[in-house]
Amino acid sequence: MTTPTIDLKQYIRGIPDFPKPGILFYDISTLMRNADAWQIAMGRLTAAVAPWSVDVLAAIESRGFLTAAPLASRLGCGLVMLRKPGKLPGETISYDYDLEYGKDSLHIQADAITPGQRVVVMDDLLATGGTLAASIALLRKVGAEVVGAATLIELTGLGGRDRLDVPVRTLVAYDD
């Protein structure tokens, strides 16, 4: 069975000057609230990620949770969360990284990954690649075999894909 050919871009709203002037924010809430378009998007992500034979999806806070949870259910694999400091209970392992405008940190529960597990990192959007690259580094730090990254949206003009050393699958690309 093939998924219907529709342009998912028609379901993603662009909001200018959010969260600050000069930024065009791509809002996936309009995609998620359309049941048919959301099912098609999840079907396409499933088809893109399934060949990697993943054990676990690693979801980046917070919009990555929205794509990874239904995808993990479809793939029959586990799900772990990559979160900001102080958001996960129990012992965590962190990775600090630089952003264009400062520093940030990602955490994972110390027992979330068994060394050697095949992991795909999930987020809603690939822009400069900084957060995805940090996520990959954190997952490798805890012994994961990171086999890919997947997002709904890619901003190709920002070159984020070039910062990643794993295969990347995206559903929708914007040049701006």
Side-chain angles (χ1 to χ4, degrees), residues 12-160:
I12 298 170
R13 173 175 52 187
I15 300 177
D17 299 320
F18 183 83
K20 60 185 183 179
I23 301 291
L24 177 58
F25 182 82
Y26 291 100
D27 181 15
I28 64 167
S29 69
T30 49
L31 172 67
M32 293 186 315
R33 70 178 164 224
N34 183 295
D36 292 337
W38 184 239
Q39 288 301 314
I40 289 167
M42 289 300 96
R44 289 178 185 174
L45 270 179
T46 301
V49 172
W52 288 329
S53 301
V54 301
D55 299 311
V56 175
L57 296 179
I60 299 172
E61 183 173 339
S62 62
R63 288 183 298 270
F65 300 166
L66 301 172
T67 56
L71 190 58
S73 179
R74 284 175 174 240
L75 293 171
C77 67
L79 172 69
V80 299
M81 295 179 287
L82 306 179
R83 301 211 61 191
K84 306 282 185 198
K87 299 288 186 174
L88 291 170
E91 182 184 350
T92 63
I93 296 172
S94 65
Y95 184 83
D96 298 324
Y97 63 105
D98 293 322
L99 295 169
E100 300 77 40
Y101 50 84
K103 294 190 177 293
D104 212 342
S105 181
L106 284 172
H107 289 243
I108 189 172
Q109 290 172 314
D111 60 354
I113 297 291
T114 302
Q117 282 187 306
R118 295 174 60 82
V119 177
V120 169
V121 184
M122 301 285 307
D123 206 356
D124 68 321
L125 182 131
L126 168 58
T128 63
T131 303
L132 275 169
S135 299
I136 292 166
L138 174 59
L139 288 160
R140 288 178 175 154
K141 184 176 177 179
V142 298
E145 179 188 347
V146 182
V147 297
T151 66
L152 289 173
I153 301 168
E154 179 178 4
L155 304 181
T156 57
L158 297 178

